[in-house]
Amino acid sequence: MKKTIDDLAVRGGEPAFSEILHVGRPNIADRKRLLERMNDILDRRWLTNGGIYVQEFERKIAHMIGVKHCIAMCNGTMALEIAIRALGLTGEVIIPSFTFIATAHALQWQEIAPVFCDIDPEIFTIDPDKIEQMITPKTTGIIGVHVWGRVCDTDALTNIAKDYNLRLLFDAAHAFACSHKGQMIGGFGDAEIFSFHATKFFNTFEGGAVATNNDELAAKIRLMKNFGFSGKDNVIHIGTNGKMTEISAAMGLSSLESLDEFIAVNYQNYKHYQRELNDIPGVTLVSYDENEASNYQYIVLVIDENVTGISRDRLVDILHAENVIARRYFYPGCHQMEPYRSYFPHAGLLLPRTEQLVKKVMSLPTGTTIGESEIAEICCILRIAVADRSKI
Ligand code: T4K
């Protein structure tokens, strides 16, 4: 464990970790079970196009989260794109800028303009109080994002959507296995989408899903993700290829069997971080509501430079030198990335909270590849850096 400022790698010390610690290191479930499933898939020679593993995966997810339909997809972005299209969104759609770029791109890809809305100061999800002023005659929908698994104000968003006759979609890429007011994420709004990307605590290598209770919408999404085929040689709708492979579904089924273990590890890691960061002034761990189901998959710090006296970016550099690859999720905000920065050069004027938050947040490693001792070391580095900042 590092003791003084001179032990830090940026001051010439040895890096704390010989192997790189990443944010988003995949959790791997029982290898034997996974390989058995993979062998079976190879023996059957049925690799994709709605095979039995995908069907079982969809059934199990729908049952677990209590929705009528789960439609598995090849990734979360495709799930978003298809849900957006199936919901008939056009013109303008209101979304937070504080999200991963996929939320905005899934719209713009279909020539729909994302209209960036600011965030709630406490939860950091889209601020319902700011939405009404952004609605125009071209607005057709709202996409709320459950950033880091912290759930949007679903009641307020539902009411606005109802009042203005807008469709409501949730980007729940981070919120698989989370709940809100006792109800599992998946059943809110017209539909919710998940990402099962390798970097998510629950992964199918690449993968995603749309969850909905709307039969008609589900049928349309099923058509769209398979080129619009309704039976052989019969195409009845425009479509694309959004299908999940059997191997991905096998990974998903194996991951489901370890889901409780993954969450338990994430929770323990979160508690270790909470304890270790407690005494570092100006460093706040973003918290989760322990009365709800949560996946605890993101360890996010908010750095108040006025108190720490050292910037978020400098702390990220210091950690990188120690082989801890902290990430600035989500910097600099979608509105500051292309093509949106060029399309809407003044968007930031309406996003003061987003503009502030993107400079303060950093994500740290968690998941099954790290534990108490690594967390103690990471926090020790931060503690020393903040305490002796004048020397760095
Ligand atoms: N909506 C939201 C709110 C999202 O956050 C995302 C995705 C989506 C929609 C779209 O879902 P997908 O279409 O991706 O299913 C990563 C992920 O690629 C992305 O899925 C995720 N959000 C986003 C938050 O993080 P990058 O560009 O940061 O990935 P990259 O390659 O820098 O890797 C992140 C970290 O994970 C690195 O530290 C390395 C580590 N890693 C990564 C992979 C792939 C591993 O250790 N092993 C691996 O196999 O986007």
Side-chain angles (χ1 to χ4, degrees):
M1 185 88 67
K2 307 222 168 211
K3 291 203 168 47
T4 72
I5 191 84
D6 292 320
D7 296 330
L8 294 189
V10 285
R11 300 264 297 176
E14 281 294 303
F17 300 97
S18 51
E19 272 185 42
I20 294 176
L21 299 190
H22 286 282
V23 172
R25 210 91 182 115
N27 290 326
I28 313 284
D30 183 341
R31 231 171 249 242
K32 191 162 161 273
R33 251 335 253 131
L34 173 63
L35 293 175
E36 277 167 15
R37 287 186 164 114
M38 286 185 171
N39 272 325
D40 184 50
I41 289 166
L42 298 178
D43 289 345
R44 293 169 158 276
R45 291 178 190 267
W46 195 276
L47 308 185
T48 183
N49 290 13
I52 59 166
Y53 284 87
V54 167
Q55 289 173 34
E56 185 185 349
F57 180 66
E58 289 182 336
R59 265 197 316 275
K60 287 201 162 141
I61 301 261
H63 180 258
M64 178 196 140
I65 63 175
V67 293
K68 280 167 86 176
H69 308 279
C70 164
I71 304 121
M73 296 276 177
C74 54
N75 59 55
T77 306
M78 187 59 96
L80 266 174
E81 286 173 9
I82 293 181
I84 286 165
R85 195 154 185 138
L87 281 168
L89 300 185
T90 56
E92 296 174 0
V93 170
I94 300 171
I95 67 168
S97 173
F98 190 68
T99 177
F100 187 60
I101 197 67
T103 321
H105 278 355
L107 291 164
Q108 192 64 51
W109 192 252
Q110 308 186 69
E111 311 278 317
I112 302 165
V115 175
F116 297 117
C117 183
D118 213 357
I119 46 174
D120 176 280
E122 303 288 319
I123 333 176
F124 307 143
T125 51
I126 194 165
D127 184 355
D129 292 341
K130 298 274 186 300
I131 289 182
E132 280 176 279
Q133 66 201 56
M134 314 202 102
I135 296 175
T136 74
K138 289 187 188 162
T139 310
T140 54
I142 302 168
I143 303 180
V145 183
H146 305 312
V147 179
W148 309 317
R150 286 153 47 103
V151 177
C152 301
D153 185 343
T154 53
D155 286 346
L157 295 177
T158 304
N159 288 338
I160 297 170
K162 213 165 129 207
D163 290 349
Y164 290 87
N165 196 23
L166 303 175
R167 308 313 297 262
L168 179 60
L169 177 63
F170 287 104
D171 178 341
H174 302 175
F176 181 59
C178 296
S179 73
H180 181 55
K181 297 186 176 170
Q183 182 186 325
M184 294 307 282
I185 295 302
F188 292 93
D190 291 299
E192 304 204 58
I193 74 92
F194 296 113
S195 165
F196 305 135
H197 182 260
T199 53
K200 301 295 183 294
F201 85 105
F202 169 90
N203 84 83
T204 60
F205 301 117
E206 288 268 4
V210 183
T212 181
N213 285 312
N214 181 327
D215 299 339
E216 211 180 306
L217 182 68
K220 204 166 170 189
I221 289 172
R222 281 199 183 283
L223 280 174
M224 284 181 156
K225 70 135 193 202
N226 186 26
F227 313 104
F229 270 110
S230 166
K232 299 205 177 349
D233 307 328
N234 188 25
V235 171
I236 60 166
H237 209 285
I238 185 164
T240 182
N241 184 353
K243 290 166 281 145
M244 177 180 271
T245 67
E246 288 289 89
I247 291 284
S248 282
M251 182 71 165
L253 288 167
S254 302
S255 298
L256 268 184
E257 285 160 6
S258 296
L259 189 79
D260 291 345
E261 181 203 322
F262 295 160
I263 293 174
V265 169
N266 283 350
Y267 179 68
Q268 283 310 319
N269 286 348
Y270 167 71
K271 293 311 254 184
H272 293 319
Y273 272 114
Q274 202 173 50
R275 218 178 28 249
E276 293 285 344
L277 293 166
N278 206 12
D279 61 348
I280 311 183
V283 175
T284 308
L285 175 65
V286 168
S287 64
Y288 296 98
D289 181 351
E290 297 197 27
N291 295 314
E292 297 285 353
S294 182
N295 57 41
Y296 299 95
Q297 70 174 314
Y298 290 100
I299 295 293
V300 184
L301 308 189
V302 179
I303 310 297
D304 182 351
E305 192 180 341
N306 293 326
V307 180
T308 56
I310 182 166
S311 70
R312 181 274 313 267
D313 288 346
R314 187 66 186 133
L315 288 173
V316 167
D317 289 345
I318 289 167
L319 288 170
H320 280 204
E322 304 290 350
N323 283 337
V324 179
I325 310 302
R327 296 296 297 260
R328 300 182 295 177
Y329 290 140
F330 293 103
Y331 175 82
C334 295
H335 70 289
Q336 295 285 12
M337 292 174 155
E338 294 296 353
Y340 314 107
R341 188 170 49 186
S342 299
Y343 288 172
F344 317 113
H346 306 299
L349 294 174
L350 290 175
L351 305 168
R353 290 181 190 143
T354 302
E355 294 241 302
Q356 281 207 351
L357 189 68
V358 295
K359 294 184 202 128
K360 294 180 171 182
V361 284
M362 71 158 96
S363 299
L364 294 176
T366 184
T368 50
T369 55
I370 74 159
E372 190 169 4
S373 62
E374 289 88 354
I375 291 168
E377 182 74 60
I378 293 169
C379 296
C380 177
I381 293 162
L382 289 172
R383 194 176 299 111
I384 293 173
V386 171
D388 247 339
R389 61 205 172 241
S390 57
K391 295 194 189 142
I392 301 182

